[in-house]
Amino acid sequence: MARPERKTVRDVRKGNRGMLLRTLYFGGPRSRHELTGLTGLSAATISTMTGDLLSEKILMEAGQVESDGGRPRVLLRVNPGYAHVIGVDVAETHVRVELFDLEMTEKARVDYTLRPSHHDIELVARRILAGIDVVLADGQVTAEQVLGVGIGVPGIVERGADTLIHAKTFGWDGVPLGALMRAGTSLPVFIDNGAKTMGQAELWFGAGRGADHAVIVLIGSGVGATVVADGLAVRGTSNSAGEWGHTKIEMSGRLCRCGSRGCLEAYIGAEGLLARAGVPAQTTDWPSALGRVLEAGGDVVQETVTYLGTGLANLINMLNPERILIGGWAGLMIGERHLDEIRVVVGENSLTQPYNATSIVLGELGPDAVAMGAATLVLEEFLDTSAPLRLHAAS
Amino acid sequence: MARPERKTVRDVRKGNRGMLLRTLYFGGPRSRHELTGLTGLSAATISTMTGDLLSEKILMEAGQVESDGGRPRVLLRVNPGYAHVIGVDVAETHVRVELFDLEMTEKARVDYTLRPSHHDIELVARRILAGIDVVLADGQVTAEQVLGVGIGVPGIVERGADTLIHAKTFGWDGVPLGALMRAGTSLPVFIDNGAKTMGQAELWFGAGRGADHAVIVLIGSGVGATVVADGLAVRGTSNSAGEWGHTKIEMSGRLCRCGSRGCLEAYIGAEGLLARAGVPAQTTDWPSALGRVLEAGGDVVQETVTYLGTGLANLINMLNPERILIGGWAGLMIGERHLDEIRVVVGENSLTQPYNATSIVLGELGPDAVAMGAATLVLEEFLDTSAPLRLHAAS
DNA sequence: GCCGTTTCGTTTACGCATTGAACTAACATG
DNA sequence: CATGTTAGTTCAATGCGTAAACGAAACGGC
């Protein structure tokens, strides 16, 4: 049972301020008057609060709107230049560092190629730190103007006193990326699984906008999912919820790379799918190989649709989301060609009531949203606390 | 994205008061001094707040504890007689109404037998209303002393302006039980799916106590689950989350009574399990039949263990709970005999990290906890708001 | 029996939050 | 220029939690 924290009058302010900020962030420019309706706060409170936020330069004015026969409304908006956030995508083949302003407009980016099986954690950490310096220089932003760094990594991210990462494919077994980052930068660091950061990006800025209950599935060579309940990502007790790929969907099915049998990933993951279609294991350009397989069609593709639809149907029955997003490079390729068939399979395999409450759509942000989603972790913290800048410099 | 509500200073009080009440409810009798530590509130606040609660008779003193060399501590506790709650279990064969005091001690109960296929909603509503009168009389409690009535029903409970219930097996398709109850009583009414109320009971008073992330699976003739994330039940967008039974676990498996193939319920639900074991369909005493099947052992039982374990493994991968509870009359019968084997299967089919974070245990409350869990819905409301009594009489 | 000590609990002055109501600002219209 | 209308601000009132001072109730030693 989650016990609530002790609250004091100042928490009221913090909460209301965060709500106002979120309203303005997602609800476009608004006048103070409109904000009273949108937030439920009194005009007096809106006035003092916007006054604070304006003088802190978190908000800015954004023109006027004449109202017939009265004082014109002054529009307010979040100041996109108030601060910046950095997002990092650590993938099998590259490390990408991106700089965004508060509105998630990309200001600079840098890519580092990783040689396969050269995933030494120290090397990766050095790349990230170097990348931060590069994007700051390219974007002409100082570290003081940055709220923090979000990092999306593969594998399981164990959040404790020290953030530890377990990623079999990288040979990472409890590597302390958090500590390594803190040793190299004073910026606040947020680390999470890459599939989850991508889910976060879709939820905030992509096809998941506004959904309180959603599942974002990510199909690449592996398969994962982000479960959103009541507007928040479900993390589970050790932050490893969302391992959808190794759901058994066939009791004595195909051998999966995890060593088990009948995993969903062995059927719909790109690796398993290509193997089933007879694509040679040494193929390197998986996306084009997958494209050819999908164009050719046939039983393997039909089966894939069936397995994917059935897997999604299971999610709908269990979690009753209002929206399901299909993402990841392979997921998008399959979805673009077969979304309608997938919907049919889902309908056949889920209960009527929850099925009718769900819409199944493709992700909007493409496979590159991992870094953006990671940066979103920082943004989320900012919108919740609206912590003043340079707090991190002090600590 | 769940947007938080506007907050005012009075919400602070409400929240802190609720926290104090919960602390005392679950944390046994405590002195004011201990409460400062447990709640994080200052001694001053504890003093004024306990003063209020004592004069409202929500709390009562519970003796003293001498402390070596100082003023003795006065222990405070929730007054179990302050108010009562009523729980109702609407099942296929009976309607049960139970009266509890605030500490969930049963004060009275009444059972009405329902003839099979006589599930007319009007009849059920009359039985419930009659039952309320009976338990109030038996328990010598007036309606003014009752905080509300919780009702656990089969099927999907659609929460809207009017609570509608969809239960195929009862022939209920959108029946307005909420409205019928309001027509017959002025008590506040809370309705939810019976599997969920049982899950709620286990979470609050059974083997789920203290778990923030849990899954409570209910195996009877059907199969359902309650998912708890961050201490709250996951309801989904139309309150129908938790339909675990119709998860496809074998693509072309056994025909399920839902019309689909390969549902988990077709293997581990009592009906499916008995059918697989060759028990004649006209058997009426399912529990003893299941007992004989389980005693006899053999392939069917082994398969059942495998299917159940695999299903649980899927839940662990997806949701990363800290605890899994197996409940329901059939679940308890299977679990009592085969829990260790189930654990082994789960271990073989789930990822190491989340598996190690999970303990798998049996439910503690037995199959009769539906009414208790329903009553818990009322209790939850009370602890959150500590709304004064007789509010319902006014409305 | 008295007094200092220890621990528990209460009272009071204060800071900070929202709010309603009164007030000021900025426009259009005639 | 007066009037009406809408937008935004200021201020006294009220409520809350806290720290610090204060009061209460025991014990132990003499």
Side-chain angles (χ1 to χ4, degrees), chain B residues 117-133:
Chain B
S117 69
H118 273 65
H119 295 129
D120 178 52
I121 179 63
E122 311 261 358
L123 174 70
V124 169
R126 276 200 305 278
R127 292 280 183 271
I128 295 174
L129 290 168
I132 291 174
D133 290 337

PDB file of all heavy atoms in Angstrom, chain B residues 117-133:
ATOM      1  N   SER B 117     -29.734 -19.990 -12.754  1.00  0.00           N
ATOM      2  CA  SER B 117     -30.458 -19.339 -13.845  1.00  0.00           C
ATOM      3  C   SER B 117     -31.676 -18.570 -13.351  1.00  0.00           C
ATOM      4  O   SER B 117     -32.612 -18.350 -14.096  1.00  0.00           O
ATOM      5  CB  SER B 117     -30.880 -20.356 -14.928  1.00  0.00           C
ATOM      6  OG  SER B 117     -31.873 -21.228 -14.426  1.00  0.00           O
ATOM      7  N   HIS B 118     -31.681 -18.219 -12.082  1.00  0.00           N
ATOM      8  CA  HIS B 118     -32.674 -17.263 -11.598  1.00  0.00           C
ATOM      9  C   HIS B 118     -31.951 -16.035 -11.088  1.00  0.00           C
ATOM     10  O   HIS B 118     -31.895 -15.776  -9.899  1.00  0.00           O
ATOM     11  CB  HIS B 118     -33.522 -17.872 -10.473  1.00  0.00           C
ATOM     12  CG  HIS B 118     -34.692 -18.612 -10.984  1.00  0.00           C
ATOM     13  ND1 HIS B 118     -34.575 -19.757 -11.735  1.00  0.00           N
ATOM     14  CD2 HIS B 118     -36.028 -18.370 -10.901  1.00  0.00           C
ATOM     15  CE1 HIS B 118     -35.778 -20.200 -12.052  1.00  0.00           C
ATOM     16  NE2 HIS B 118     -36.674 -19.376 -11.570  1.00  0.00           N
ATOM     17  N   HIS B 119     -31.376 -15.317 -12.015  1.00  0.00           N
ATOM     18  CA  HIS B 119     -30.538 -14.194 -11.615  1.00  0.00           C
ATOM     19  C   HIS B 119     -31.152 -12.884 -12.021  1.00  0.00           C
ATOM     20  O   HIS B 119     -30.475 -11.950 -12.385  1.00  0.00           O
ATOM     21  CB  HIS B 119     -29.142 -14.342 -12.216  1.00  0.00           C
ATOM     22  CG  HIS B 119     -28.407 -15.516 -11.685  1.00  0.00           C
ATOM     23  ND1 HIS B 119     -27.809 -16.449 -12.492  1.00  0.00           N
ATOM     24  CD2 HIS B 119     -28.190 -15.930 -10.426  1.00  0.00           C
ATOM     25  CE1 HIS B 119     -27.263 -17.383 -11.753  1.00  0.00           C
ATOM     26  NE2 HIS B 119     -27.467 -17.091 -10.496  1.00  0.00           N
ATOM     27  N   ASP B 120     -32.445 -12.854 -11.965  1.00  0.00           N
ATOM     28  CA  ASP B 120     -33.142 -11.616 -12.277  1.00  0.00           C
ATOM     29  C   ASP B 120     -32.571 -10.487 -11.417  1.00  0.00           C
ATOM     30  O   ASP B 120     -32.451 -10.614 -10.190  1.00  0.00           O
ATOM     31  CB  ASP B 120     -34.633 -11.797 -11.992  1.00  0.00           C
ATOM     32  CG  ASP B 120     -35.385 -10.518 -12.250  1.00  0.00           C
ATOM     33  OD1 ASP B 120     -35.230  -9.959 -13.345  1.00  0.00           O
ATOM     34  OD2 ASP B 120     -36.128 -10.082 -11.331  1.00  0.00           O
ATOM     35  N   ILE B 121     -32.238  -9.396 -12.060  1.00  0.00           N
ATOM     36  CA  ILE B 121     -31.556  -8.320 -11.341  1.00  0.00           C
ATOM     37  C   ILE B 121     -32.430  -7.720 -10.249  1.00  0.00           C
ATOM     38  O   ILE B 121     -31.951  -7.378  -9.160  1.00  0.00           O
ATOM     39  CB  ILE B 121     -31.083  -7.232 -12.331  1.00  0.00           C
ATOM     40  CG1 ILE B 121     -30.395  -6.083 -11.598  1.00  0.00           C
ATOM     41  CG2 ILE B 121     -32.249  -6.678 -13.147  1.00  0.00           C
ATOM     42  CD1 ILE B 121     -29.148  -6.469 -10.890  1.00  0.00           C
ATOM     43  N   GLU B 122     -33.715  -7.653 -10.512  1.00  0.00           N
ATOM     44  CA  GLU B 122     -34.620  -7.092  -9.501  1.00  0.00           C
ATOM     45  C   GLU B 122     -34.627  -7.972  -8.259  1.00  0.00           C
ATOM     46  O   GLU B 122     -34.605  -7.490  -7.128  1.00  0.00           O
ATOM     47  CB  GLU B 122     -36.056  -7.015 -10.065  1.00  0.00           C
ATOM     48  CG  GLU B 122     -36.168  -6.372 -11.430  1.00  0.00           C
ATOM     49  CD  GLU B 122     -36.600  -4.918 -11.316  1.00  0.00           C
ATOM     50  OE1 GLU B 122     -36.834  -4.469 -10.180  1.00  0.00           O
ATOM     51  OE2 GLU B 122     -36.675  -4.246 -12.368  1.00  0.00           O
ATOM     52  N   LEU B 123     -34.643  -9.273  -8.508  1.00  0.00           N
ATOM     53  CA  LEU B 123     -34.630 -10.217  -7.383  1.00  0.00           C
ATOM     54  C   LEU B 123     -33.343 -10.036  -6.572  1.00  0.00           C
ATOM     55  O   LEU B 123     -33.379  -9.934  -5.342  1.00  0.00           O
ATOM     56  CB  LEU B 123     -34.720 -11.649  -7.918  1.00  0.00           C
ATOM     57  CG  LEU B 123     -34.568 -12.744  -6.858  1.00  0.00           C
ATOM     58  CD1 LEU B 123     -35.778 -12.764  -5.946  1.00  0.00           C
ATOM     59  CD2 LEU B 123     -34.373 -14.110  -7.505  1.00  0.00           C
ATOM     60  N   VAL B 124     -32.226  -9.992  -7.278  1.00  0.00           N
ATOM     61  CA  VAL B 124     -30.947  -9.845  -6.576  1.00  0.00           C
ATOM     62  C   VAL B 124     -30.937  -8.554  -5.769  1.00  0.00           C
ATOM     63  O   VAL B 124     -30.529  -8.530  -4.602  1.00  0.00           O
ATOM     64  CB  VAL B 124     -29.785  -9.880  -7.595  1.00  0.00           C
ATOM     65  CG1 VAL B 124     -28.480  -9.469  -6.921  1.00  0.00           C
ATOM     66  CG2 VAL B 124     -29.653 -11.266  -8.199  1.00  0.00           C
ATOM     67  N   ALA B 125     -31.413  -7.480  -6.369  1.00  0.00           N
ATOM     68  CA  ALA B 125     -31.425  -6.202  -5.657  1.00  0.00           C
ATOM     69  C   ALA B 125     -32.307  -6.297  -4.420  1.00  0.00           C
ATOM     70  O   ALA B 125     -31.947  -5.787  -3.348  1.00  0.00           O
ATOM     71  CB  ALA B 125     -31.923  -5.096  -6.583  1.00  0.00           C
ATOM     72  N   ARG B 126     -33.465  -6.964  -4.547  1.00  0.00           N
ATOM     73  CA  ARG B 126     -34.337  -7.110  -3.371  1.00  0.00           C
ATOM     74  C   ARG B 126     -33.643  -7.898  -2.278  1.00  0.00           C
ATOM     75  O   ARG B 126     -33.732  -7.569  -1.099  1.00  0.00           O
ATOM     76  CB  ARG B 126     -35.641  -7.811  -3.779  1.00  0.00           C
ATOM     77  CG  ARG B 126     -36.704  -6.874  -4.349  1.00  0.00           C
ATOM     78  CD  ARG B 126     -38.107  -7.506  -4.263  1.00  0.00           C
ATOM     79  NE  ARG B 126     -38.194  -8.803  -4.904  1.00  0.00           N
ATOM     80  CZ  ARG B 126     -38.367  -8.981  -6.224  1.00  0.00           C
ATOM     81  NH1 ARG B 126     -38.456  -7.932  -7.024  1.00  0.00           N
ATOM     82  NH2 ARG B 126     -38.440 -10.196  -6.736  1.00  0.00           N
ATOM     83  N   ARG B 127     -32.945  -8.969  -2.681  1.00  0.00           N
ATOM     84  CA  ARG B 127     -32.226  -9.771  -1.686  1.00  0.00           C
ATOM     85  C   ARG B 127     -31.180  -8.921  -0.954  1.00  0.00           C
ATOM     86  O   ARG B 127     -31.030  -9.006   0.250  1.00  0.00           O
ATOM     87  CB  ARG B 127     -31.523 -10.940  -2.366  1.00  0.00           C
ATOM     88  CG  ARG B 127     -32.451 -11.986  -2.938  1.00  0.00           C
ATOM     89  CD  ARG B 127     -32.952 -12.925  -1.853  1.00  0.00           C
ATOM     90  NE  ARG B 127     -33.779 -13.972  -2.411  1.00  0.00           N
ATOM     91  CZ  ARG B 127     -35.098 -13.888  -2.589  1.00  0.00           C
ATOM     92  NH1 ARG B 127     -35.732 -12.777  -2.217  1.00  0.00           N
ATOM     93  NH2 ARG B 127     -35.773 -14.886  -3.111  1.00  0.00           N
ATOM     94  N   ILE B 128     -30.461  -8.124  -1.710  1.00  0.00           N
ATOM     95  CA  ILE B 128     -29.426  -7.302  -1.082  1.00  0.00           C
ATOM     96  C   ILE B 128     -30.061  -6.336  -0.092  1.00  0.00           C
ATOM     97  O   ILE B 128     -29.623  -6.216   1.059  1.00  0.00           O
ATOM     98  CB  ILE B 128     -28.643  -6.511  -2.147  1.00  0.00           C
ATOM     99  CG1 ILE B 128     -27.873  -7.464  -3.069  1.00  0.00           C
ATOM    100  CG2 ILE B 128     -27.663  -5.537  -1.481  1.00  0.00           C
ATOM    101  CD1 ILE B 128     -27.185  -6.764  -4.234  1.00  0.00           C
ATOM    102  N   LEU B 129     -31.108  -5.673  -0.517  1.00  0.00           N
ATOM    103  CA  LEU B 129     -31.738  -4.682   0.357  1.00  0.00           C
ATOM    104  C   LEU B 129     -32.323  -5.344   1.604  1.00  0.00           C
ATOM    105  O   LEU B 129     -32.173  -4.829   2.724  1.00  0.00           O
ATOM    106  CB  LEU B 129     -32.835  -3.936  -0.416  1.00  0.00           C
ATOM    107  CG  LEU B 129     -32.297  -3.004  -1.506  1.00  0.00           C
ATOM    108  CD1 LEU B 129     -33.411  -2.528  -2.419  1.00  0.00           C
ATOM    109  CD2 LEU B 129     -31.566  -1.824  -0.878  1.00  0.00           C
ATOM    110  N   ALA B 130     -32.935  -6.510   1.402  1.00  0.00           N
ATOM    111  CA  ALA B 130     -33.458  -7.237   2.562  1.00  0.00           C
ATOM    112  C   ALA B 130     -32.313  -7.635   3.482  1.00  0.00           C
ATOM    113  O   ALA B 130     -32.400  -7.510   4.711  1.00  0.00           O
ATOM    114  CB  ALA B 130     -34.232  -8.475   2.108  1.00  0.00           C
ATOM    115  N   GLY B 131     -31.231  -8.098   2.876  1.00  0.00           N
ATOM    116  CA  GLY B 131     -30.071  -8.515   3.663  1.00  0.00           C
ATOM    117  C   GLY B 131     -29.508  -7.384   4.495  1.00  0.00           C
ATOM    118  O   GLY B 131     -29.094  -7.576   5.643  1.00  0.00           O
ATOM    119  N   ILE B 132     -29.486  -6.206   3.930  1.00  0.00           N
ATOM    120  CA  ILE B 132     -28.986  -5.061   4.683  1.00  0.00           C
ATOM    121  C   ILE B 132     -29.822  -4.863   5.938  1.00  0.00           C
ATOM    122  O   ILE B 132     -29.286  -4.706   7.048  1.00  0.00           O
ATOM    123  CB  ILE B 132     -29.006  -3.795   3.799  1.00  0.00           C
ATOM    124  CG1 ILE B 132     -27.960  -3.919   2.685  1.00  0.00           C
ATOM    125  CG2 ILE B 132     -28.737  -2.546   4.630  1.00  0.00           C
ATOM    126  CD1 ILE B 132     -28.004  -2.790   1.673  1.00  0.00           C
ATOM    127  N   ASP B 133     -31.149  -4.921   5.784  1.00  0.00           N
ATOM    128  CA  ASP B 133     -32.013  -4.759   6.953  1.00  0.00           C
ATOM    129  C   ASP B 133     -31.759  -5.846   7.983  1.00  0.00           C
ATOM    130  O   ASP B 133     -31.708  -5.586   9.181  1.00  0.00           O
ATOM    131  CB  ASP B 133     -33.484  -4.779   6.515  1.00  0.00           C
ATOM    132  CG  ASP B 133     -33.856  -3.521   5.740  1.00  0.00           C
ATOM    133  OD1 ASP B 133     -33.162  -2.502   5.915  1.00  0.00           O
ATOM    134  OD2 ASP B 133     -34.822  -3.563   4.950  1.00  0.00           O
TER     135      ASP B 133
END
